[in-house]
Structures are given as structure tokens and as C-alpha cells.
Amino acid sequence: MFTASFPVRTSSPSPSPSSSSSSSSSSSFSSSNFVTNNVSPKLLWGHLPPLNSRWVCPLLRCSHSKSLSLPANAKRKKKKNYGGVLPSILKSLHLTNDVEEALDSFHENLGPKEITVILREQSSKWERVVRVFEWFKSREGYVPNGIHYNVVLRALGKAQQWDQLRLCWIDMAKNGVLPTNNTYSILVDVYGKAGLVQEALLWIKHMRMRGFFPDEVTMSTAVKVLKDVGEFDRAHRFYKGWCDGKIELDDLDLEGSLGLSTNGSTSMSISFKHFLSTELFKIGGRIADSGNGTLLSMESVTPQKPQLPSTYNTLIDLYGKAGRLKDAADVFADMLKSGVAVDTCTFNTMMYLCGSCGNLAEAESLLGIMEEKGVSPDTTTYNIFLSLYANAGNIDAALSCYRRIREVGLIPDRVTYRALLGVLCAKNMVQVVEALIDEMEKSFVSVDEHSLPGIVEMYVNEGALDKANDLLRKFEMNKELSSNICAAIMDVFAEKGLWSETENMFYRGRELSGKKRDVIEYNVMIKAYGKAKLYDKAVSLFKGMKNHGTWPSDSTYNSLIQMLSGADLVDQARDLVIEMQEMGLKPHCQTFSAIIGCYARRGQLSDAVTVYQEMVRAGVKPNEVVYGSLINGFAEHGSLEGALQFVHMMEESGLSANLVVLTSLLKSYCKVGNLEGARAIYERMKNLEGGLDLVACTSMIGLFADLGYVSEAKLAFENFREMGLVDAISYATMMHLYRDIGMIDEAIEIAEELKLSGLLRDCISFNKVLVCYAANGQFYECGELIHEMISQKLSPTSGTFKVLFTILKKGRIPIEAVAQLESSYQEGKSYAWQTAFTTLYSLVGMHTLALESAKTFLESEVDLDSSAYNVAIYAYTSAGDIDKAMNIYMKMRDEHVEPDLVTYIYLVGCYGKAGILEGVKRIHTQLKYGDIETSKSLFKAIIDAYKICNRKDLVHLVNQEMKFAFNSKEHSEVEDEYEYDYEIGSEAEYEVGSDTEYEVGRETEHDSNADD
């Protein structure tokens, strides 16, 4: 927090702008906080009531009348008015490209000041400045002037025309014009702004060796150059040295710097990397005589303090960006005490520093001091507060700042719109954003391209892709997007998985313009393909980018290799690593880690170790993730020795085994049944920050269960349950353990508890509970579980259907009907799942669900076969809707689907329940005379039907026929009461998969989460 205190005026009268400087030095000051002692924040924005929380769009509308009244202290920047012949000359130059002809048409002799004005007015185009300057130099009587050269040097430096600048510097020396402090200040400034920091600072050394000591402007410029590149300590030392009357040149630590002797000669050359020619330093700036007022020897400079507001502003910004907030406050206080006039820039800088440090109230209070000093806020002032309020989440205040800009007669600039659009888009305030864009268009202000990614993301979040595309098309009608902005917009689409939109953005406009795409655009497109699992497209794009003139960067290789490794395309990833190294690029640690992890997952441990060794040879230090992948790989595949070897290697490299590594090691001990080693790791994990995790607890329960330690497993389970460290695997392990030792009641109790725990969230867990219920004959509960699984939108696995079909067989569903269901499932028929579920629901008496399920395939447009119609007949018959069952049979015949054995079995049941004896007899006769294939299931169905019709004689007859048909005494006697009780069967019949299969799935999930 920004806690420094500032000395402020305590006298009540507000000084006028003209008298503030002189009066401040003689006024008394106190070290009071701005907010508590001087200005009430209530006065600052009190005229702006909070906005309605519904965000009514018209609130953004502002008047554009030119008759807006300005505050008394507000100032407009006026355009300079020149007298004499200057306006005519400037107008002629503006209207023609032939500057020489325009100047030839005027015959007046112009003085140095007029020439300076003409040069400055042409400075936006360096070529025109040079031509105008050459024209004046060619005139008879022209006297070379340092100010003229300074104007030309600045124009060339701003345009980064370094060779032209060198020629101008040489020409300046030939004409005997000595550089001044202003000349050096210009050179330091233009080189610094071009990013040539070392070269900029070499000009300081050049002027020193020519006998100049930097004046305040030059010093401030050098400090600003260092500040802008983050060299805060050097900037501070440079400033302090200047104040003390000396500058430590060695502290500049200049790379490739000149070795200059005390007499000004060059003792070694300058690196061409830094300068175009050593002539820049060999020529120009000869030692002036002692009468030249610009020359100061090092010994003659006395300690001094800055006097210019711009210098103080630079220093405040320097210390603020360096995080030295007390120093920034001290500079501001010293500025006030010294009587240096504070300006808008000063206050803006201080307000930004206070607000950025979380002290928004103090930033607000500075507005009161600003008013007291007679300094008017500018657009930047309001932009600062707009951003500060936006960052604080106060959208009302941010919008109020925006409205206030026009109310005080100022004009919003691009920073204003960019900041406001940014915060509104982040809040997905679509209507307000669109209202603001409309207002911008009415003011003839276009949306800045840097705002486009945020607006597009807002539209994407709202599902308004059409609006996003319309916005982009509208922007590109006037201007082509830069590569960075194009990549940022592509990334918005890519993050949402919209690879097609990303692709459209990648290709749009570029094919026609012929402009080469930047590598960052390729990187984002590859990322989008990867997120969509379109790996072939990603590789194809990568291979083709060189043909389009764009070479892949290390980021391109690293991201693609990691993507392919994650998709188990490890061979392609390995080839790319080799190609990357051949190009002289160094893979990241994460890249090697991805390949090692892939090999470890696939069980190719020798390959994983080989890549690890290549990584070490390449000079890339393995991290915890690399070792964790190797250790987990060996642990998963039962190699405790291999896992321990890499644990030792990890610790020897200075890395401590973390929770993930110890968990893998614990699993390894559990897999080999080493209880002592597992307990040691378990105790070690308990002492780590973060403690035990689910996998560790589950592994310990599993180990006790595997070793048959029932009491220990039960105790561990109960303890972990109280700690909240049990999951579905733990419950399943205990169910399995209890079932193995015949404790069915306890197993069912655990299953019931698992259902109520909310941990049933995956098919594997459902299958485990399903097996437990089925083995205990609780088929109704099985039906409830299947329904719950479907309700959670989980796709049943093959294990689910294995249990389901076993339940149907044990529930006395005809074996032929179950075979039909299994065949439909194996063939992948679209209605296979629904027919199986319908049969189960009908079997256990869940008729409402059965009929709803039957409707899904009956009302579909898919052509059904006899098995689907059979299930529907069974479902409606079981539900007692005989008419509907018979209608389905008739529909089946209308659709020319021939009835099969299962059809007759279910049809007999339907006739029996309806009491239609003739129907039963007809099918009985067809069976008797061989028109229908012989089947025990059909015989039993006919017997049941006759029993329902109370025809015991026919029951006895059919029983005898079945006995003779199958030559068996199995049916010699028929009990008076024939019931179909559910058969429980053995647990092995319901088993859906090994515990190993189950645990691997769960542990893989854990490992992936750990990697994230």
C-alpha cells in the first residue's frame, strides 16, 4: 500500500496559477495525508451520481455541441499563428511535393528563426526536412546554425534514418557547428526511443570526452531512457551523480563501448552492431575554447538540484515504476518545497502511482491539491481514474469519468475508449459496449485494434459469433489487422474450441494481400487444431509454413511436440525434437517432460529413460514433473526398483520428492504388496505440507484389502472417511473386500452409503455398485442405478451391459430374447441400448420408465427389426396394456417384419394375460406341428398362459410334450404353483473388470490432475 505522506499547503486561500510557484516556497507545510487532512473525496465526483445498476445504454450519450462551457482554469491548446511571409511559405509547401519550387517562388530573405519554423513544420516527413534544409544551405549568405541541425537530427532520428543522421552529423562538423547540450539531448532521446539504449548512452560518453557536462534536460532525457527499459538503479545513480556534479561513466556498463582517451581520441573501434560508422564519434564536437558558455569542465560543476517540472515528473515516474514509493513521494514533496511549478503531468503521475498501489482515496485527494495549485486536469487525468475505478470493479465511477471528460470541454482519446471498452467487455456488458461504439462512430472515432480481442471475446462468451465477425469485417474495410492483434483474436476462438472460426481468421484477407503471416499466427492456429484434436491438420500446417516464408520458432516446436505427446503420437513428437535441435533450437524442459510422460503412460519405460538421458546431454535440467513421470511410469508397471532409482536421482539433483512423487512410490509399494515400505511412505506423506491425498488413502485401503487385512482396511476406511479423504474407489474396494469374505450385508451397506455420498459420478463406480446389488439379487435397485446413470448423462460401458445381460438371464428373461439384445448391442444398432434398458425396467416392475424408453425407439424414424418390436410387446404386456401390445404386433406385420421365436414367446404371454385361449392354442398347435422351432422358453410360456386361463389339463399336456420333445425327466412333474423367482447366482457371473483396470483409470485421472 502507498503509505508515504506528502507535505501540503495548509493555508486556505487557493493560489492563482501564476503565483503558485512563488508562494509555495514560503508557505508552511505539514506531513499530513492528503485524504485525511486536505480534501474530502466526496467533493471530487460528487456531481456524478452512481449509475443505475441496470446499465441503461443512453447514459453513455454525450452532447457534442461546440458551445460547451469550459471550467475557468481549463485551457485549449491553440495552433501557432505566424506573421509575415511564413504563412504563405508554409501553405505553398503544404500544397506541393516540389519543396524546391515552392521555396524558389519566394525571394524574401529569411532569418534563422523563420528557417527554424519552416524546418519544424516539415519534421513529420524526414525527406522534406532534408530537402528544405539543403535548399537553405545552398542559398548565398546562409550561415550554418546549430538549431537548424538539431531540428534535422531529431527528424532523422525519429524516422530511424541512421545513415542520413550520420551524414548530417558529419556535415555539421565540416561546417564548424559545434553540438550543444540540446544536440546531445536530442540524440540520446531519438536513439533511446528507437530501442538503441547502449548507443543512446554512448552519446553521454561522447559529450563528456568533448568537455561537456550534461545539463538538466540531457540528464532527464538519459534518466528517461534508462527508466523506459527498466534500468531503474542505473537511472537513479545517473541522477544522483549529476546532482553531485559528477557522472560515473563506468557504471553505465556499456556493451561494445568506445575506449576514449583523455584528449578525445578514439583508442578502439565501435562495434558495427551498435553504430553504422565510427565517424559519428571521430567527427564533430571538437574541444571548444574556454569562452564557449556551453563547455563545463568536470571540476567546475558544483552540486545542483533540478529546476524543471519535466525532470521531477520523470523522477517520480522512475521511482514509481521501480516500486520505490517513498522516494517518489519525497521527490514530489521536494518539488513543492523548491517552488518548482507542478503541472498536470506531475499530478497524473502521482495519482497513477497512488491508485496503482491500492490507495485510490489518496489518488482522489490529489485532485484537491491539483485544484488548489490551479492546475487543470486533462484527458489523461480522467483516463487514469477511469482505469483505476475499472480495476477496482467500480463501473459506475469509470463511466462517470468518461462522461466528465466531455462535460469539462475535453475530448476522449484512444486510451479513453480502449480502457472503457476493456472493462465493459470484461463484464460482458454487450448493450453498453454497443452504445459506446455507436457514440464513437458519431464522433468519427474508430475502434482501436487493441480493443478488438476483448470485444470479440465478449461476443463469443454471449454466443454472438455473427456480431463478432461483422465487427471484424467492418474494421478490415479500412485497415488491415496487425499480426499480434490477429493472433490475439484467433486465440479467443481457439480457447473456446472454435477451430473453424480460428481458421477463418487465420486465412482471411491474407491470401489476397499476399502479406506473409507472422509465426505467432501459425502458433495460435496450431494450438486451435490441437485443442480440437485435429492433429493431422496441425502437423500439415507446420510442415507448410516454411513454404510460405515463415520459419517456426522454438515456441512452435515446443507447443506442437507437447500437443502430439499428449495425444500419444510420440513418434512424431520425437522426430520433431530431433529436427528442432538440428535447427539450433533448444527444447524446453516441458517439451522433454511431455515425451517422457507419454512413453511412461504407454509403458515404454526404456524409451522414456532414453529421452531423459538425451535431455541431460542437451543441458536441460529435469524438474519435478520429469522425475514424477518416470517414477509413476515404473510404479504403474510394477517396477519398484526403477521407481526407487529415480527417486534417488531426483534427490541427488537437489529436488525433494513432492506429494505426487511419493504417491506414485506408495502405489508401487502397494502393487508389490510391500506393507512395510508403503507404511513408511505413508508416514512421510503425512508430514508434508498438504498432507495425504485421495490416491494415497485409496492405495492404503487397497493394500490392506489385497493382503486380506479386513480390520485394518475397515479402520483405515473409517478414519479417511472422517477426514473426507475417501472416494468412489475406496468404497468400491471395501465392497469388493466384504463380498470376497461373504459379508454381503456389509457390502450392501457400503453400496447404499456410496449412493448417498454423491460420489457416483462415473460409469466405473456405477458398475461396481451394480455388481454388488446384482450378486445379492437386488435387481430393482439395479434398475434404479441404470436410470440414475442415464440421468447423469453417463454413457454405459461394455461392463455395464455385461452385468445387465446377466441380470436379464437370472431374471428368467428367455435366453433367446437376451441373445437378441446382445446381438443388437454387438452390432451397434442405434436402438440397442434402449431395448436393453426397456427390458430391464419391465423385468423389475419399473413400467413407467419402461414405456418411456420403448417410445424413444418406437417413435424414431429408424427401421426396426423384430428384436425391437419384441421388446415393445413385452414392455406393454408387462405393464398390462394388452391392446397396445397387440397393436405393436399388427404394426410389425404391416411393416413386413416377420415374427421370430421371441415374438411368439412374448405373444403367448400377451394372449395368456388377456385370457385369449384360442390365441394360445394357435401358437401351441404351430409349435406342435413344427411350424415354429422347438424351444423350452416357448413351452414354458405356453404352460404359463394355460395356467392363467385355468386349463390344468392343457398344462399337463404341454408338460408331457416338452418332456418327450427334449427326452428329459426334467419336466416329468409340474408343481401346482409355478413361479419365476429371481436367481441370484454367483458373484463371478456379474464381474465387469479387474480391480487393476479400475484403479488404473482412476490413477490416470489423478496423474493428469497433478500435471495440471
Side-chain angles (χ1 to χ4, degrees):
M1 179 176 289
F2 194 80
T3 56
S5 298
F6 305 95
V8 298
R9 274 179 59 100
T10 56
S11 54
S12 55
S14 298
S16 63
S18 59
S19 62
S20 60
S21 297
S22 59
S23 62
S24 61
S25 59
S26 60
S27 301
S28 60
F29 289 79
S30 65
S31 298
S32 302
N33 188 283
F34 286 146
V35 176
T36 56
N37 287 357
N38 289 277
V39 182
S40 171
K42 180 180 178 182
L43 300 175
L44 302 177
W45 310 105
H47 59 288
L48 301 172
L51 294 181
N52 190 300
S53 60
R54 291 176 296 177
W55 303 106
V56 181
C57 294
L59 287 174
L60 287 173
R61 305 294 184 191
C62 297
S63 172
H64 299 281
S65 171
K66 295 183 179 179
S67 61
L68 265 174
S69 59
L70 296 175
N73 58 354
K75 299 178 182 178
R76 289 184 184 271
K77 186 176 180 180
K78 297 182 179 179
K79 188 174 181 179
K80 293 181 180 179
N81 292 320
Y82 303 112
V85 75
L86 277 178
S88 299
I89 297 176
L90 294 176
K91 183 177 181 181
S92 296
L93 289 171
H94 178 70
L95 296 174
T96 182
N97 290 325
D98 192 343
V99 297
E100 291 82 6
E101 181 180 351
L103 292 172
D104 285 337
S105 63
F106 294 92
H107 303 288
E108 289 80 356
N109 291 324
L110 300 176
K113 290 184 178 180
E114 287 82 3
I115 297 175
T116 302
V117 170
I118 294 173
L119 288 171
R120 283 177 176 166
E121 291 292 331
Q122 309 303 309
S123 60
S124 61
K125 295 183 178 180
W126 69 269
E127 299 96 334
R128 293 176 68 87
V129 175
V130 172
R131 289 169 63 185
V132 169
F133 188 43
E134 290 298 326
W135 187 90
F136 280 116
K137 286 197 302 178
S138 67
R139 299 299 95 183
E140 185 177 353
Y142 173 77
V143 178
N145 185 298
I147 296 176
H148 299 165
Y149 276 102
N150 289 347
V151 174
V152 177
L153 288 171
R154 181 179 292 279
L156 294 172
K158 287 178 68 175
Q160 299 186 23
Q161 297 295 317
W162 307 121
D163 194 48
Q164 290 291 332
L165 185 145
R166 176 180 63 86
L167 296 175
C168 183
W169 176 259
I170 295 171
D171 185 67
M172 183 177 177
K174 288 181 179 179
N175 289 323
V177 179
L178 295 175
T180 63
N181 247 301
N182 191 27
T183 308
Y184 284 109
S185 176
I186 289 170
L187 291 169
V188 172
D189 181 57
V190 295
Y191 274 88
K193 287 178 178 177
L196 303 172
V197 179
Q198 294 292 337
E199 290 83 343
L201 297 179
L202 279 172
W203 284 112
I204 300 294
K205 190 163 190 177
H206 186 278
M207 71 182 297
R208 275 285 315 281
M209 303 315 294
R210 294 309 191 262
F212 285 94
F213 188 82
D215 64 4
E216 184 176 341
V217 174
T218 308
M219 177 275 294
S220 179
T221 304
V223 169
K224 186 177 184 303
V225 168
L226 290 168
K227 168 182 70 74
D228 290 344
V229 295
E231 292 286 348
F232 303 127
D233 290 339
R234 290 182 182 179
H236 168 74
R237 289 195 294 269
F238 188 88
Y239 163 65
K240 287 298 183 182
W242 181 85
C243 290
D244 294 338
K246 58 183 180 179
I247 294 178
E248 297 295 336
L249 296 177
D250 293 338
D251 188 53
L252 296 179
D253 190 24
L254 303 177
E255 297 177 3
S257 60
L258 280 175
L260 296 174
S261 63
T262 55
N263 62 5
S265 63
T266 304
S267 60
M268 69 182 199
S269 63
I270 305 173
S271 169
F272 186 74
K273 176 183 177 182
H274 294 144
F275 277 104
L276 290 172
S277 173
T278 57
E279 292 175 282
L280 281 167
F281 292 96
K282 291 178 179 179
I283 299 174
R286 295 186 297 274
I287 301 298
D289 56 33
S290 58
N292 191 331
T294 61
L295 178 62
L296 292 172
S297 67
M298 295 303 300
E299 290 76 13
S300 64
V301 179
T302 58
Q304 56 190 324
K305 293 180 65 176
Q307 299 296 322
L308 301 175
S310 59
T311 304
Y312 282 97
N313 295 342
T314 299
L315 293 172
I316 292 171
D317 192 41
L318 163 67
Y319 293 128
K321 288 180 177 176
R324 300 169 60 167
L325 306 179
K326 185 178 183 305
D327 287 335
D330 290 343
V331 170
F332 182 64
D334 187 53
M335 185 178 186
L336 296 175
K337 289 180 181 179
S338 301
V340 178
V342 288
D343 57 14
T344 305
C345 181
T346 311
F347 281 106
N348 287 346
T349 305
M350 288 303 301
M351 290 170 187
Y352 177 76
L353 291 180
C354 291
S356 299
C357 297
N359 202 336
L360 185 55
E362 190 156 344
E364 290 174 334
S365 71
L366 283 169
L367 280 175
I369 304 299
M370 193 174 189
E371 182 179 357
E372 180 184 333
K373 292 292 183 182
V375 180
S376 299
D378 60 4
T379 301
T380 302
T381 310
Y382 292 100
N383 289 346
I384 289 170
F385 278 101
L386 192 156
S387 297
L388 293 176
Y389 286 131
N391 293 336
N394 191 343
I395 310 299
D396 289 334
L399 286 170
S400 296
C401 290
Y402 168 72
R403 295 199 310 276
R404 185 62 177 158
I405 292 174
R406 290 194 185 277
E407 290 175 4
V408 299
L410 298 171
I411 304 296
D413 58 16
R414 290 192 176 275
V415 177
T416 311
Y417 291 119
R418 189 189 301 180
L420 190 55
L421 285 171
V423 65
L424 295 176
C425 290
K427 297 292 184 180
N428 286 334
M429 299 169 65
V430 179
Q431 291 182 334
V432 187
V433 169
E434 291 176 344
L436 179 58
I437 293 175
D438 288 342
E439 183 172 322
M440 291 170 64
E441 290 177 349
K442 290 180 180 179
S443 300
F444 302 101
V445 178
S446 60
V447 175
D448 185 83
E449 72 167 1
H450 293 87
S451 298
L452 290 177
I455 302 174
V456 170
E457 184 174 11
M458 175 191 70
Y459 280 135
V460 170
N461 291 337
E462 294 295 313
L465 291 178
D466 290 343
K467 288 187 175 182
N469 289 321
D470 289 344
L471 174 73
L472 294 174
R473 279 193 291 268
K474 190 173 183 179
F475 182 89
E476 291 179 318
M477 288 174 63
N478 301 314
K479 184 180 178 182
E480 185 176 4
L481 288 169
S482 65
S483 294
N484 286 337
I485 298 301
C486 185
I489 296 171
M490 289 169 57
D491 195 57
V492 170
F493 292 127
E495 284 294 328
K496 299 295 182 180
L498 303 171
W499 70 268
S500 180
E501 285 74 10
T502 311
E503 191 177 62
N504 291 338
M505 194 70 205
F506 179 73
Y507 288 109
R508 71 191 303 158
R510 298 301 176 90
E511 300 296 343
L512 296 176
S513 66
K515 183 178 178 181
K516 184 177 71 172
R517 296 180 186 86
D518 193 83
V519 65
I520 189 174
E521 297 175 74
Y522 278 96
N523 292 348
V524 177
M525 191 67 251
I526 290 172
K527 169 186 173 181
Y529 285 142
K531 290 180 74 70
K533 301 188 183 338
L534 301 173
Y535 305 115
D536 290 342
K537 278 181 169 287
V539 173
S540 176
L541 182 67
F542 169 78
K543 291 180 177 178
M545 62 188 296
K546 295 179 185 177
N547 297 332
H548 291 87
T550 304
W551 285 83
S553 64
D554 55 348
S555 296
T556 313
Y557 278 103
N558 285 315
S559 61
L560 187 58
I561 292 168
Q562 293 173 40
M563 175 203 306
L564 295 174
S565 299
D568 280 353
L569 301 173
V570 68
D571 292 335
Q572 294 184 56
R574 189 83 176 272
D575 292 340
L576 285 173
V577 170
I578 297 172
E579 179 183 325
M580 182 180 185
Q581 291 174 314
E582 289 175 349
M583 290 186 63
L585 300 174
K586 188 175 183 179
H588 293 168
C589 179
Q590 294 89 334
T591 301
F592 282 111
S593 176
I595 297 177
I596 292 172
C598 183
Y599 277 132
R601 286 194 307 272
R602 293 159 58 96
Q604 297 175 245
L605 299 179
S606 60
D607 290 320
V609 173
T610 300
V611 175
Y612 167 81
Q613 294 168 345
E614 292 175 358
M615 178 182 186
V616 174
R617 284 196 298 270
V620 180
K621 184 177 180 181
N623 60 11
E624 294 92 335
V625 178
V626 173
Y627 285 111
S629 297
L630 288 164
I631 293 167
N632 189 66
F634 282 103
E636 284 292 341
H637 294 86
S639 177
L640 177 60
E641 182 180 353
L644 288 173
Q645 178 184 357
F646 277 97
V647 169
H648 296 323
M649 293 172 64
M650 178 180 182
E651 292 175 340
E652 287 175 359
S653 70
L655 298 173
S656 299
N658 56 24
L659 190 62
V660 175
V661 170
L662 292 179
T663 299
S664 298
L665 199 57
L666 177 64
K667 288 190 299 183
S668 186
Y669 277 115
C670 291
K671 284 182 182 294
V672 299
N674 189 329
L675 181 59
E676 182 180 351
R679 277 180 167 160
I681 297 297
Y682 173 78
E683 292 299 325
R684 185 175 172 184
M685 292 175 70
K686 286 168 60 177
N687 297 325
L688 284 181
E689 182 180 356
L692 300 170
D693 63 3
L694 277 172
V695 175
C697 297
T698 302
S699 298
M700 288 302 297
I701 294 173
L703 177 59
F704 288 134
D706 291 341
L707 296 176
Y709 295 166
V710 179
S711 58
E712 287 86 348
K714 180 180 179 182
L715 180 62
F717 175 78
E718 291 175 349
N719 289 337
F720 294 150
R721 182 173 55 189
E722 291 178 3
M723 297 165 59
L725 290 175
V726 292
D727 58 4
I729 301 177
S730 305
Y731 280 100
T733 302
M734 293 304 298
M735 282 191 295
H736 189 78
L737 174 62
Y738 284 138
R739 292 199 321 266
D740 281 350
I741 60 177
M743 299 174 65
I744 302 299
D745 291 340
E746 286 79 0
I748 295 297
E749 183 180 343
I750 293 293
E752 292 289 345
E753 186 178 331
L754 176 56
K755 282 181 62 178
L756 298 174
S757 69
L759 294 173
L760 278 177
R761 293 188 290 266
D762 60 83
C763 284
I764 298 177
S765 302
F766 271 102
N767 290 346
K768 290 290 183 180
V769 180
L770 199 62
V771 169
C772 189
Y773 281 135
N776 199 40
Q778 295 177 251
F779 294 164
Y780 186 86
E781 285 76 6
C782 292
E784 289 182 322
L785 272 178
I786 291 291
H787 176 59
E788 185 177 347
M789 181 189 298
I790 296 170
S791 299
Q792 293 188 23
K793 300 187 184 306
L794 296 174
S795 297
T797 64
S798 58
T800 309
F801 283 99
K802 179 181 178 182
V803 179
L804 193 153
F805 294 139
T806 305
I807 291 172
L808 297 181
K809 293 174 185 177
K810 297 301 179 182
R812 298 286 182 91
I813 295 294
I815 190 66
E816 295 86 353
V818 178
Q820 279 190 345
L821 295 174
E822 287 183 296
S823 176
S824 295
Y825 173 73
Q826 295 295 338
E827 293 174 13
K829 292 181 178 178
S830 59
Y831 45 83
W833 289 13
Q834 290 301 326
T835 53
F837 297 151
T838 302
T839 306
L840 175 64
Y841 293 148
S842 295
L843 172 67
V844 300
M846 301 171 70
H847 299 302
T848 301
L849 289 176
L851 298 184
E852 289 177 357
S853 180
K855 285 181 181 179
T856 59
F857 60 83
L858 285 174
E859 295 177 358
S860 68
E861 298 180 356
V862 179
D863 291 334
L864 303 177
D865 64 4
S866 60
S867 66
Y869 285 110
N870 293 341
V871 170
I873 293 172
Y874 171 65
Y876 281 101
T877 300
S878 300
D881 193 343
I882 305 301
D883 290 340
K884 182 67 175 176
M886 295 303 297
N887 287 337
I888 291 173
Y889 174 68
M890 297 305 296
K891 180 182 178 182
M892 176 181 178
R893 300 308 301 267
D894 291 342
E895 296 291 336
H896 305 291
V897 178
E898 292 296 324
D900 55 22
L901 177 60
V902 177
T903 311
Y904 290 119
I905 292 172
Y906 286 150
L907 198 57
V908 165
C910 181
Y911 288 147
K913 282 194 174 185
I916 305 176
L917 183 61
E918 293 304 320
V920 179
K921 286 182 175 180
R922 184 170 60 254
I923 295 177
H924 179 200
T925 302
Q926 289 178 290
L927 174 63
K928 182 177 181 180
Y929 291 102
D931 295 333
I932 302 174
E933 64 178 293
T934 303
S935 165
K936 289 184 180 180
S937 298
L938 182 54
F939 272 116
K940 290 178 180 179
I942 294 173
I943 291 172
D944 280 341
Y946 281 143
K947 286 173 62 179
I948 294 173
C949 294
N950 200 25
R951 292 297 302 271
K952 293 183 179 180
D953 56 330
L954 294 177
V955 169
H956 179 73
L957 175 64
V958 175
N959 188 54
Q960 292 299 317
E961 290 175 355
M962 183 169 63
K963 176 182 177 182
F964 289 116
F966 293 98
N967 193 25
S968 171
K969 296 181 180 181
E970 180 181 357
H971 305 285
S972 60
E973 295 182 0
V974 179
E975 299 294 336
D976 292 335
E977 194 66 32
Y978 191 93
E979 296 179 352
Y980 283 105
D981 293 331
Y982 291 148
E983 296 180 9
I984 295 177
S986 67
E987 177 189 326
E989 293 180 89
Y990 299 96
E991 208 53 69
V992 297
S994 67
D995 289 338
T996 302
E997 175 188 29
Y998 175 60
E999 291 172 2
V1000 167
R1002 177 62 182 85
E1003 290 165 1
T1004 302
E1005 176 186 352
H1006 168 79
D1007 295 335
S1008 64
N1009 292 337
D1011 292 340
D1012 292 341

